[in-house]
Amino acid sequence: MSPRTLWLALAGMLVSSAFAAGPRHALILHGEPRYGADFRHFDYVNPDAPKGGDVRLSALGTFDSLNPFILKGVAAAGIGANFETLTEGADDEAFTEYGLIAESMEVAPDDSWVIYNLRPEARFHDGSPITAEDVAFSFEVLREKGRPVYRFYYASVAGSDILGERRIRFNFSQSGNRELPMIMGQLPVLSKKYWTANDFEKTTLEPWVGSGAYRVIAVDPGRSITYQLDRNYWGRDLPINRGRNNFASIRYDYYRDATVALEAFKSGEYDLRQENVSKNWATAYDGPALAKGLIIKEELRHEIPTGMQGFWFNTRRAVFADRRVREALNYAFDFEWTNKNLFYGAYTRTASYFSNSELASSGLPEGQELEILSRFRDRLPEHVFTQPFELPVSDGSGNIRSQMRSALRLLKAAGWSVDKSTRKLVNAAGEPMRFELMLVQPEFERVVLPLQRNLERLGIEMRVRTVDAAQYEKRIEDFDFDIVVSSRGQSLSPGNEQRNYWTSAMADQPGGQNIAGIKDPVIDELVEQLVVAPDRESLIAHTRALDRVLLWGYYVIPNWHLSAFRIAYWDKFARPPISPKYSFGLETWWVEQDKARALDQRRRTLQGG
């Protein structure tokens, strides 16, 4: 064992020593939990919120399955309310998990195993107790038959030992990875009895036995799904659930596109929507219902890392294999003009994969980040160390001649040139540069058409194709695209999931989340070092180093972000005075019956009835 490896192991043991004292009510990556073992409820809930009231929400596209754990089919919106995990996080803490199905947890001093002690009152919807056998079964079936992400996510889990009816231990193939106990806490717990009698690998529209606060009570395939609050829900009085799960029923209606869905909302067909289109937010909600206060518009600020949304290149395609080509295409996107003319100046340009957080890289690397990157200096471009990463910036006028000249210089260096007779950009073999940008939202066409025109000026043909949700999901799973609009969200505590996002092992794994197809040994090593970072300071430095290398790889044309939820809703709701930092928090809202009755009367008056 090298001195550094020994130091990391000792550091991990010291940080984790608090776990070794015995069962704990919470798992935390660094420091101490916000809520003590005797806490009664989260600060951002109303513990006395009334239960009741029906809520209608919307979804786009269609669905053909109630099984979200497999690749086959498109799972219904909201199906997560049907099942539970061993632990659950608080929405005002960055990296803490409290017991849900698990009453307490025990962690080895070197983080080589974790034990979960299950609550004796925990029950599935059929009344059967949740046991250690169910937990062990869930782990095995998800790893063997579930989405590929589960196999990768649990790759460092050697196996499980059932220590009693309600006690189970997971053993890890590596020590010092303090996130692994928390990862296993996120394990969806499934009924062994139900799923051994049913084919887990097939899509189904039959409600299955879960344990969550809500149960599926009605399914109209592809059109709507309705969940009902289980009045006998075993966990309703747990501290982590008090003041949550307040609606008597939740129904999702499906619409073919966002424009139809918006008009349905304004007609009162459903109750609440989150608006993602700045033009709609600025102009589309005007009308009597808004003017008279029947519809409320609000921006709810949050502190969630906004991650990276952008135009993602599929580097498996030969046309995008050269980093210089990817960089050149970045110059063709005029964000400043787009923000001014299409978005009403609402957005901030995203310049980090960990934007809106302390994890984002900036300026030149220094301190511990520089030390980390220096180990790879012979395998990284020198400008990683000598130039701050900066995206092209225009004056917003639409004139980007200087950016276009920069793009052509890069393309020429990569072996492309403009054919004088056709004015097309061609490679050494005379083949023109052409590719497709795939969309799932027609509303995005207005955003990408200016990019298409700028590329035409460079002699590049970019086709824009909008497909339905099912085809879009399938093509993403199979990496069957050239460029796609996608996003990669992040938490304040990145860890094992980064392997799935960026590493070579996932580049060719269908259904994986390395959609760009990144295969870079430096990134692989940076991810592994991040996963075993011994403390918060080291985690931040390793994340910034990873971020910087990803940015200089130009795997994406970054888009934009907004640090707020834009919410419109019919005036029937109430919510706690404190909003959670890291979520929308709809599960803490409730229907105020007096307001709901008054709203019905106001609607009739507005409609002249």
Side-chain angles (χ1 to χ4, degrees):
M1 179 180 290
S2 69
R4 172 174 171 77
T5 304
L6 176 61
W7 181 85
L8 287 174
L10 289 173
M13 290 176 67
L14 288 171
V15 174
S16 300
S17 61
F19 289 121
R24 292 174 60 93
H25 74 292
L27 298 173
I28 186 167
L29 203 59
H30 305 288
E32 291 296 324
R34 175 185 178 92
Y35 299 96
D38 59 348
F39 85 101
R40 299 189 59 80
H41 60 80
F42 293 138
D43 292 342
Y44 53 85
V45 306
N46 171 9
D48 300 316
K51 308 289 184 183
D54 302 320
V55 175
R56 297 168 299 171
L57 303 174
S58 69
L60 296 179
T62 187
F63 71 96
D64 59 7
S65 177
L66 302 187
N67 185 349
F69 307 111
I70 59 175
L71 278 179
K72 293 179 182 177
V74 178
I79 194 63
N82 193 55
F83 66 88
E84 295 175 303
T85 50
L86 291 164
T87 62
E88 185 166 324
D91 288 334
D92 56 355
E93 288 181 279
F95 34 82
T96 306
E97 292 181 5
Y98 296 88
L100 179 53
I101 290 175
E103 184 173 46
S104 64
M105 293 72 68
E106 304 167 46
V107 180
D110 64 350
D111 299 292
S112 61
W113 51 257
V114 61
I115 292 174
Y116 293 96
N117 301 300
L118 309 186
R119 298 183 189 272
E121 67 270 32
R123 293 286 186 277
F124 289 111
H125 291 149
D126 63 359
S128 61
I130 300 177
T131 68
E133 284 197 6
D134 294 303
V135 177
F137 167 80
S138 302
F139 167 67
E140 294 297 342
V141 76
L142 288 170
R143 187 165 64 168
E144 294 176 9
K145 300 180 180 180
R147 288 177 171 268
V149 64
Y150 292 116
R151 288 192 290 278
F152 201 76
Y153 211 41
Y154 303 143
S156 297
V157 183
S160 63
D161 294 321
I162 296 175
L163 307 179
E165 183 181 4
R166 295 190 299 273
R167 185 171 164 85
I168 185 169
R169 179 176 64 208
F170 288 102
N171 305 302
F172 305 137
S173 58
Q174 64 178 130
S175 60
N177 187 336
R178 288 173 296 124
E179 193 183 20
L180 284 174
M182 301 181 76
I183 285 176
M184 296 314 299
Q186 298 163 4
L187 176 75
V189 179
L190 310 175
S191 168
K192 179 179 179 180
K193 175 183 175 182
Y194 178 86
W195 285 111
T196 51
N198 293 273
D199 191 341
F200 184 80
E201 295 181 276
K202 286 187 176 180
T203 60
T204 180
L205 287 171
E206 292 295 321
W208 45 273
V209 175
S211 65
Y214 288 87
R215 306 175 66 167
V216 178
I217 61 165
V219 178
D220 185 356
R223 297 173 63 87
S224 71
I225 183 167
T226 305
Y227 304 88
Q228 185 177 71
L229 182 65
D230 184 355
R231 291 294 181 178
N232 297 316
Y233 171 48
W234 72 271
R236 63 176 297 170
D237 294 323
L238 295 178
I240 66 169
N241 284 330
R242 197 166 289 132
R244 303 170 66 215
N245 305 315
N246 301 318
F247 304 132
S249 72
I250 303 172
R251 170 173 167 152
Y252 289 87
D253 289 320
Y254 277 75
Y255 296 90
R256 66 176 180 268
D257 61 51
T259 301
V260 174
L262 174 58
E263 293 306 313
F265 169 75
K266 293 193 295 184
S267 299
E269 295 300 317
Y270 61 96
D271 300 313
L272 179 149
R273 65 181 271 115
Q274 183 174 341
E275 183 56 68
N276 296 317
V277 179
S278 58
K279 181 180 180 181
N280 288 345
W281 190 247
T283 65
Y285 289 85
D286 290 343
L290 182 69
K292 294 182 179 298
L294 279 69
I295 291 177
I296 308 296
K297 282 177 61 183
E298 288 190 85
E299 290 194 8
L300 304 180
R301 308 301 297 182
H302 63 71
E303 298 180 25
I304 303 171
T306 47
M308 174 64 77
Q309 176 184 297
F311 307 122
W312 291 72
F313 298 111
N314 185 352
T315 63
R316 304 169 190 84
R317 302 288 204 245
V319 66
F320 301 130
D322 193 313
R323 185 193 63 82
R324 293 168 296 186
V325 170
R326 304 193 297 267
E327 181 180 358
L329 299 185
N330 267 264
Y331 282 97
F333 177 54
D334 188 350
F335 167 76
E336 286 70 29
W337 182 92
T338 302
N339 195 36
K340 175 182 176 181
N341 290 276
L342 301 183
F343 299 153
Y344 299 83
Y347 293 116
T348 299
R349 185 79 189 271
T350 300
S352 167
Y353 285 84
F354 302 87
S355 56
N356 199 42
S357 79
E358 64 180 346
L359 302 166
S361 61
S362 63
L364 292 174
E366 58 184 23
Q368 191 176 163
E369 182 196 351
L370 179 58
E371 293 177 13
I372 294 165
L373 290 170
S374 295
R375 301 171 200 149
F376 306 98
R377 192 153 198 152
D378 61 337
R379 291 187 280 166
L380 290 172
E382 184 61 22
H383 50 245
V384 171
F385 301 92
T386 60
Q387 299 178 34
F389 179 83
E390 295 177 347
L391 293 166
V393 177
S394 76
D395 61 7
S397 67
N399 182 353
I400 57 170
R401 289 182 180 177
S402 62
Q403 291 181 204
M404 302 296 267
R405 287 194 293 268
S406 297
L408 284 171
R409 282 195 297 270
L410 286 163
L411 291 166
K412 182 178 180 180
W416 296 83
S417 60
V418 176
D419 184 298
K420 294 182 179 179
S421 61
T422 64
R423 306 301 302 168
K424 298 295 184 182
L425 192 72
V426 297
N427 60 17
E431 299 166 330
M433 181 180 288
R434 58 166 61 102
F435 46 80
E436 177 184 275
L437 191 155
M438 182 175 68
L439 300 174
V440 70
Q441 292 179 286
E443 299 80 15
F444 228 94
E445 291 176 4
R446 71 190 185 103
V447 178
V448 301
L449 290 180
L451 171 62
Q452 183 186 52
R453 288 194 293 270
N454 287 339
L455 291 173
E456 286 176 356
R457 293 169 58 191
L458 292 171
I460 299 170
E461 178 186 348
M462 183 182 80
R463 300 180 299 276
V464 178
R465 183 181 182 190
T466 302
V467 300
D468 62 60
Q471 183 180 169
Y472 184 85
E473 184 172 336
K474 177 61 175 173
R475 289 184 60 179
I476 292 291
E477 289 172 356
D478 294 340
F479 307 129
D480 181 19
F481 64 90
D482 297 331
I483 302 178
V484 68
V485 178
S486 187
S487 61
R488 178 67 65 239
Q490 294 287 356
S491 75
L492 284 170
S493 181
N496 289 262
E497 77 286 347
Q498 304 301 312
R499 292 168 171 161
N500 195 26
Y501 295 166
W502 320 118
T503 64
S504 303
M506 291 301 292
D508 298 318
Q509 177 64 58
Q513 295 182 39
N514 183 354
I515 63 171
I518 300 170
K519 291 183 178 180
D520 184 338
V522 172
I523 289 176
D524 295 343
E525 293 179 48
L526 284 171
V527 168
E528 292 308 310
Q529 292 179 12
L530 180 154
V531 168
V532 297
D535 52 46
R536 181 67 182 173
E537 182 182 2
S538 178
L539 178 68
I540 292 172
H542 279 90
T543 305
R544 289 175 177 174
L546 173 63
D547 182 39
R548 193 178 300 273
V549 174
L550 287 169
L551 288 169
W552 280 108
Y554 287 100
Y555 300 106
V556 62
I557 301 176
N559 285 176
W560 49 83
H561 64 268
L562 178 70
S563 301
F565 299 111
R566 292 183 293 211
I567 307 298
Y569 57 91
W570 287 86
D571 189 22
K572 61 187 282 188
F573 298 101
R575 68 174 191 266
I578 300 175
S579 294
K581 294 180 180 180
Y582 304 120
S583 81
F584 172 16
L586 182 60
E587 76 279 3
T588 70
W589 292 30
W590 64 93
V591 173
E592 197 167 282
Q593 295 299 335
D594 289 344
K595 291 176 72 172
R597 286 190 289 269
L599 177 62
D600 288 341
Q601 179 59 47
R602 295 164 71 192
R603 277 176 169 165
R604 288 194 291 270
T605 301
L606 187 66
Q607 295 167 357

